[in-house]
Amino acid sequence: MKNHKNIENIEKYLRETPPLMGGVDWEISRACNYNCSYCLTKHRRKKEKNSPSSTPIFIDKFAKNLSGNWLFYFNSGEPFLLPDLPKITDELIKMGHHIELVTNFSASLEKIFEFCEVANRGLRRFWASLHLEHADLDEFFKKAILVRRLIGSRLSVASVARRGEVSKLAKIAMVFQNQRIPFSMQLERENYHNNKSARTALDPFVKYSKREFLIIKRFGRTYFLNNKRFLKFKGKLCWAGSKYFVVDANGDAWRCHQARNQDSLGNLLKGTFKLNTVPDICRYEYCACVNPINLGMVVI
Ligand code: SF4
Ligand code: SF4
């Protein structure tokens, strides 16, 4: 009886206590110098070749709408194509926020070093995405060694595991890991822009052979909690929408990636953005939102 009461108290505490740090997945740029066949944001870039020059307004809106320390994930497109990336980074860090960035690592070392120096201690993780369709592997590797010297273990390399090419990728992964550079494989998603039925499928990823799947698991990330390809939290309480949100280059915001075009939080640039104040039920069939999970958004 006493144990039962303790569990109830813990659940109540979790429901009422938001995660310490909030998170924003910011589609900081829609432009990209690559055109990967598996890119999920390709359709958005077709409509708009250049990123809108509204980044100063974003910074102002973040300052007005967010209290406390937030972790900003710069993603989608290629962030280093934005000329004012160091300035944006500097302003967010001065507000007390932290930065995590995903890049295709094609920028010059000079630009990458400049960014890392500005971000300095506010830089939580630097994800260098290896896109073998475009990148020169030797050049990528040499660059990774040099960037690692500057930012240490905050550098991680990730690559999409293409079906049929997983063994080849595992050999490449070992080369990075032998240099103490963490390497993770990302599951390739079914591209629902080409395949409409994939939009509502209960499993968002391509089908691998058993052997390939076991290799990916060795280099995998959060998806493999509980030994699954993805996570299911439908019906559970989640702080996404309150302490975490996704915002695109036009200012449209959603509680998480699964909620895109469904549970809108308004538009940050148009002044209609509003965060929830309490956790809400997850309504989605699966969760492939790595960042909110890592920030502890899901309650129980
Ligand atoms: S580098 Fe990233 S954003 Fe650019 S095309 Fe490839 S997957 Fe898409
Ligand atoms: S899909 Fe994931 S991040 Fe989105 S509400 Fe559900 S649990 Fe939270």
Side-chain angles (χ1 to χ4, degrees):
M1 192 63 187
K2 200 177 166 196
N3 273 346
H4 181 67
K5 196 79 192 152
N6 280 344
I7 289 168
E8 270 182 9
N9 285 341
I10 291 168
E11 287 179 353
K12 185 171 179 296
Y13 172 80
L14 289 171
R15 273 196 299 275
E16 290 171 2
T17 313
L20 277 178
M21 185 179 282
V24 187
D25 252 292
W26 182 15
E27 185 186 81
I28 193 168
S29 159
R30 281 187 168 169
C32 187
N33 51 334
Y34 285 0
N35 187 24
C36 305
S37 56
Y38 45 80
C39 180
L40 290 177
T41 58
K42 209 181 316 195
H43 66 294
R44 293 210 286 274
R45 289 202 308 280
K46 265 186 211 159
K47 289 181 203 151
E48 192 181 318
K49 288 212 173 81
N50 300 306
S51 294
S53 55
S54 41
T55 39
I57 312 173
F58 269 104
I59 299 293
D60 182 51
K61 298 290 180 189
F62 288 138
K64 288 190 176 122
N65 284 281
L66 307 183
S67 59
N69 306 120
W70 288 64
L71 178 55
F72 277 75
Y73 302 92
F74 292 169
N75 65 24
S76 203
E78 173 45 44
F80 278 99
L81 294 182
L82 274 182
D84 50 356
L85 181 69
K87 189 169 180 287
I88 296 163
T89 305
D90 186 45
E91 290 187 26
L92 290 175
I93 284 174
K94 279 187 187 146
M95 287 183 215
H97 301 311
H98 299 260
I99 307 288
E100 194 163 320
L101 164 138
V102 184
T103 167
N104 63 26
F105 216 36
S106 61
S108 66
L109 261 182
E110 196 189 353
K111 275 191 176 177
I112 293 174
F113 280 10
E114 183 193 5
F115 165 80
C116 292
E117 274 157 16
V118 170
N120 197 3
R121 273 176 287 177
L123 178 66
R124 295 285 287 252
R125 191 154 294 278
F126 184 113
W127 287 99
S129 285
L130 174 61
H131 297 285
L132 290 166
E133 290 179 357
H134 294 278
D136 178 298
L137 184 55
D138 279 348
E139 199 185 302
F140 188 104
F141 182 67
K142 284 179 197 152
K143 223 188 240 183
I145 300 279
L146 294 172
V147 174
R148 191 189 191 287
R149 275 191 205 148
L150 186 66
I151 61 171
S153 58
R154 288 175 293 174
L155 172 70
S156 287
V157 175
S159 191
V160 171
R162 306 301 311 276
R163 187 171 32 198
E165 294 178 17
V166 175
S167 300
K168 181 177 137 196
L169 191 59
K171 286 185 191 140
I172 294 172
M174 291 310 297
V175 176
F176 283 89
Q177 292 204 337
N178 288 342
Q179 292 297 323
R180 291 182 299 126
I181 299 173
F183 190 107
S184 57
M185 291 191 193
Q186 295 164 312
L187 295 170
E188 182 180 356
R189 289 196 190 209
E190 286 287 359
N191 195 334
Y192 53 73
H193 303 292
N194 299 336
N195 174 3
K196 294 279 181 243
S197 63
R199 187 182 286 275
T200 50
L202 295 184
D203 183 342
F205 301 109
V206 302
K207 306 281 178 290
Y208 296 94
S209 71
K210 202 169 168 191
R211 184 167 177 278
E212 282 186 323
F213 187 60
L214 286 174
I215 297 174
I216 297 170
K217 260 174 79 175
R218 275 180 49 213
F219 298 96
R221 293 173 66 194
T222 321
Y223 319 109
F224 300 110
L225 284 174
N226 307 324
N227 218 17
K228 297 272 171 50
R229 280 158 59 95
F230 54 89
L231 303 167
K232 278 178 183 282
F233 296 120
K234 193 173 180 180
K236 306 251 185 231
L237 280 177
C238 177
W239 284 93
S242 168
K243 287 293 287 179
Y244 168 89
F245 64 97
V246 174
V247 60
D248 76 7
N250 289 331
D252 287 320
W254 297 275
R255 68 183 295 212
C256 66
H257 288 285
Q258 298 320 111
R260 211 177 180 105
N261 302 325
Q262 295 181 56
D263 286 340
S264 170
L265 296 175
N267 184 293
L268 198 65
L269 300 181
K270 292 177 185 159
T272 54
F273 173 77
K274 197 165 186 314
L275 283 170
N276 301 324
T277 51
V278 289
D280 193 9
I281 295 287
C282 171
R283 285 177 275 279
Y284 317 106
E285 291 303 332
Y286 59 82
C287 174
C289 300
V290 178
N291 297 334
I293 296 169
N294 287 343
L295 284 169
M297 297 291 155
V298 186
V299 175
I300 26 177

